[in-house]
Amino acid sequence: MKALKKICTALMLLAFAFVFASCSNGSDSDDDDSSTNGLLPSVGKNVLAGNSYRYSQTDDKKTKTITYVFKDDTVTETEVEQPTEGSPKTEITEYKYTYNANTGLLYLKVVSWTVDGEKMTSMDDVYKYFAKDFDCTVEQAKEYLGDADMFAENISVCYFVKDDGNILLGDYFDDDKDVEVSKFSYAEEPALRVNFDGEKIELNVATKASWKIEELDAKAKTFSGKEIEGSYTVKAKATKTLMDLNGYDKSNEANGYITIKFSKLPDTLTSAPYNMKTGTEYKFIFDPDCDEYKKL
């Protein structure tokens, strides 16, 4: 989920001694209900409680397995990454959650984050963990991580229960700051994707290509690299969920979208069949980055 994407991004930036730009996952609602730990109240029947779901992916470098165990108002996410060579890395995240069964949305808040046996329940714990892991001071960790607080944020996630009992889980574009940890596909050619989370713009065709984003300024909404740069504008946030769309449809504008105006483009994108031009706005649709989790 995006809460951990942010922490992983911060971890990477800390490792390379960059300053972390704080980003949000979901809105900090003014309609918070203290009885639900600051989350919106639940609506409808909870079909997830009492169930467990798992997703697994293997490539030539590692196998990653993510398991969710839902109780009445808490859910535990366990991610195990087993490299082809070396020891596994385990992360466990506990969330409080509420839900809206009518729209297919989960609202979550992180309660604890455990990395290889070390449990963290506050940002003070996170600072100390990073300081120890990267051999720096707590004050340096605070400086690098900025004002990010993974325990204070409300996170919105789409869920869709399939006929076979498996579930789809995907991100929900309801906050401008989500851009920083998200992927967007070009409306005219989905094979061209802006992957802000992975810091690159990539073309997934027969001859693959990618261009690194070396700097992203979330405040100015600009990005730059040696071969590509530009600015983006959030045009529409999500108006439909996975439930509304009856499943995963990453090319639907109802997921929300941004426009990008490039000020520098590589030859590949200025040539046929793309024929892109600098100074022109191009529509990129938010990708919910959805995966199917098997019911256990």
Side-chain angles (χ1 to χ4, degrees):
M1 295 182 185
K2 285 182 182 174
L4 291 190
K5 285 184 182 179
K6 179 176 65 179
I7 291 300
C8 291
T9 299
L11 188 63
M12 179 177 63
L13 292 178
L14 183 59
F16 287 98
F18 289 138
V19 175
F20 177 70
S22 174
C23 61
S24 174
N25 302 291
S27 60
D28 293 325
S29 173
D30 292 332
D31 298 322
D32 289 348
D33 185 332
S34 59
S35 66
T36 55
N37 202 38
L39 299 170
L40 293 173
S42 294
V43 176
K45 182 180 179 181
N46 187 352
V47 298
L48 302 175
N51 295 324
S52 299
Y53 304 90
R54 180 170 294 158
Y55 167 80
S56 185
Q57 182 183 51
T58 301
D59 57 30
D60 58 351
K61 295 181 179 179
K62 64 183 182 302
T63 295
K64 181 172 72 173
T65 301
I66 302 174
T67 304
Y68 288 104
V69 178
F70 284 89
K71 296 182 180 179
D72 287 338
D73 58 3
T74 61
V75 56
T76 301
E77 174 189 22
T78 302
E79 178 176 329
V80 180
E81 189 171 293
Q82 175 65 67
T84 304
E85 297 180 3
S87 303
K89 182 179 180 64
T90 302
E91 296 184 12
I92 302 172
T93 311
E94 296 176 275
Y95 303 89
K96 291 285 290 185
Y97 80 94
T98 58
Y99 60 89
N100 188 322
N102 297 333
T103 59
L105 280 172
L106 292 174
Y107 308 110
L108 306 105
K109 181 167 284 187
V110 176
V111 176
S112 69
W113 182 44
T114 303
V115 181
D116 290 332
E118 185 157 346
K119 187 173 184 177
M120 292 163 270
T121 59
S122 70
M123 287 306 296
D124 284 340
D125 293 339
V126 175
Y127 299 143
K128 292 174 184 176
Y129 169 76
F130 280 4
K132 182 176 67 175
D133 208 41
F134 289 100
D135 193 24
C136 66
T137 67
V138 171
E139 290 305 315
Q140 286 174 322
K142 288 182 179 180
E143 180 182 353
Y144 288 133
L145 290 170
D147 59 359
D149 187 349
M150 66 184 290
F151 301 98
E153 294 169 356
N154 294 343
I155 308 156
S156 299
V157 176
C158 291
Y159 73 98
F160 177 68
V161 182
K162 299 180 63 180
D163 291 340
D164 59 7
N166 294 344
I167 62 169
L168 301 178
L169 291 176
D171 296 331
Y172 187 64
F173 188 36
D174 63 348
D175 191 305
D176 285 8
K177 295 179 182 178
D178 286 346
V179 172
E180 302 164 59
V181 289
S182 299
K183 304 177 181 69
F184 298 82
S185 297
Y186 181 35
E188 301 299 322
E189 176 50 75
L192 178 60
R193 185 164 71 164
V194 176
N195 184 350
F196 286 121
D197 185 36
E199 300 181 330
K200 60 185 176 180
I201 294 175
E202 52 195 348
L203 185 58
N204 189 19
V205 291
T207 302
K208 298 182 180 181
S210 65
W211 303 275
K212 183 173 176 57
I213 296 173
E214 296 180 348
E215 184 175 348
L216 174 65
D217 187 331
K219 187 174 181 179
K221 293 183 170 57
T222 59
F223 60 90
S224 61
K226 290 181 179 179
E227 300 176 90
I228 199 162
E229 63 182 34
S231 60
Y232 66 86
T233 303
V234 176
K235 291 291 187 177
K237 298 173 188 175
T239 57
K240 292 186 178 180
T241 63
L242 292 173
M243 180 181 291
D244 296 325
L245 297 173
N246 197 36
Y248 187 25
D249 183 359
K250 66 180 180 180
S251 62
N252 197 310
E253 290 184 12
N255 291 317
Y257 63 92
I258 63 174
T259 56
I260 291 179
K261 185 182 292 185
F262 294 100
S263 54
K264 181 191 293 185
L265 283 162
D267 292 342
T268 302
L269 297 182
T270 58
S271 307
Y274 308 102
N275 299 315
M276 298 180 112
K277 299 178 181 179
T278 58
T280 300
E281 280 194 330
Y282 296 97
K283 182 184 293 183
F284 284 77
I285 298 172
F286 177 79
D287 183 353
D289 201 16
C290 179
D291 291 314
E292 180 171 345
Y293 290 75
K294 184 178 181 180
K295 185 177 180 180
L296 301 180

